[in-house]
Amino acid sequence: MSLTRKRRSTGKVTLADVAQLAGVGTMTVSRALRTPDQVSDKLREKIEAAVQQLGYLPNLAASALASASSWTVGMVVPSLSEAGCSEMFAGLQQVLLPAGYQIMLAESRHRPEQEEKLIETLLASNIAAAVLLSAEHSDTVRQWLNNSGIPVIEIGARRADPLDMNIGIDNAAAMFELTRMLIQRGYQNIGLLCASQEQWVFQQYLQGWYKAMLRHHMSPNRVINAAEPPTFSTGAAQLPEFLLAWPELDALVCVSDELACGALYECQRRRIKVPDDLAIVGFGDSDVSRVCQPPLTTVAVPHRQIGVEAGRALLARLNGQARRAEAEIAPALCLRESC
């Protein structure tokens, strides 16, 4: 009865509660839970029965701090709706879960101050490694992670100045190939539609765009960078702006499939024939790009593969093995009926 009153007052079952019910010391319970092979089968079964009866959950954070090790990997993303976020997360889990690691996922919502708070909390929890998805980091975050001594991997896009490891696609090269494909197909008046995103990623898209257009002696000035997020609504809203500014437009490159499909739906509303009157291409090879009408020409980004390769790189580093700091994953053009 006294044990029940204690549990109700604290609201949480402790190691001492398990020890009292099992009739052993707390050190014995701790040893049985952490290294069960070091206690007898009879004693282990007795302690396991007490754990089950009380519903005890070990304090993993305290354990990690005590042992200077952890089985938790922290992952911070700008947005859970970020293109390929779920696929990269699944790829990481595919590798890390069988090795005993759990992934703690957090969203910074594109706010540097929020990322700082999340990184501070994760580092205080003694995470084993950090995964960051395509975001610009403050000097404070960079200093914390550089001084943490843990493996850090940035995924999604290649970076010129990675904190540690970096696995992703070269956005500039992918945009160059997509734009060059349109030029080779005879399109002369091409536009580029961007939306709210990390500035350094936007610069990568522009680099590939300018390189392709200028190499073929074509004007690179038909560019709109909307302040709104890259959604269907933004694509639909920006198409009239393009046609008003550049009525000669015959092809439109969008930095996401959502933007492209929004523009495609607006074309259908305005009875603009795609691709006869206007070609539209996207970026990402999302599900909607395959089922819209006409199906969307786009760039397939192997997000699951990026996650798998990132997981392997982290696991190798955590196991003390040498691993390349950077790896580029090649995207692929998906040619469909929209151009």
Side-chain angles (χ1 to χ4, degrees), residues 11-200:
K12 184 176 182 180
V13 177
T14 66
L15 195 71
D17 295 335
V18 176
Q20 182 178 341
L21 183 60
V24 298
T26 56
M27 291 297 294
T28 302
V29 174
S30 178
R31 186 166 61 251
L33 294 176
R34 295 170 62 182
T35 54
D37 56 319
Q38 293 185 11
V39 300
S40 67
D41 292 344
K42 184 176 181 180
L43 183 57
R44 185 172 64 251
E45 291 172 0
K46 188 175 182 181
I47 292 172
E48 287 176 352
V51 168
Q52 290 288 336
Q53 181 177 336
L54 296 177
Y56 172 71
L57 291 173
N59 188 333
L60 297 179
S63 176
L65 289 171
S67 63
S69 64
S70 171
W71 291 93
T72 301
V73 172
M75 181 176 180
V76 179
V77 302
S79 171
L80 294 174
S81 61
E82 196 83 9
C85 178
S86 60
E87 281 294 295
M88 285 186 276
F89 181 75
L92 282 163
Q93 284 191 312
Q94 180 180 327
V95 177
L96 295 178
L97 287 182
Y101 289 93
Q102 300 289 333
I103 304 174
M104 185 181 298
L105 181 61
E107 180 185 45
S108 67
R109 303 195 312 192
H110 293 279
R111 292 164 52 192
E113 68 276 10
Q114 178 68 8
E115 186 187 50
E116 283 190 13
K117 292 178 182 178
L118 291 172
I119 294 296
E120 184 179 20
T121 300
L122 290 171
L123 290 176
S125 302
N126 206 37
I127 55 175
V131 180
L132 307 175
L133 175 59
S134 296
E136 196 60 71
H137 317 299
S138 68
D139 291 339
T140 299
V141 165
R142 298 180 72 89
Q143 183 178 12
W144 284 346
L145 291 172
N146 283 328
N147 295 338
S148 68
I150 63 172
V152 177
I153 190 162
E154 296 168 281
I155 64 175
R158 290 296 305 276
R159 300 185 67 103
D161 58 342
L163 285 161
D164 183 5
M165 295 181 286
N166 177 212
I167 292 179
I169 72 164
D170 185 335
N171 283 313
M175 179 58 69
F176 173 81
E177 292 297 334
L178 182 62
T179 307
R180 185 174 69 168
M181 177 273 297
L182 286 172
I183 296 171
Q184 290 175 339
R185 292 192 167 210
Y187 295 100
Q188 298 291 319
N189 304 298
I190 309 173
L192 174 66
L193 175 58
C194 303
S196 178
Q197 60 204 296
E198 296 291 333
Q199 183 64 24
W200 66 276

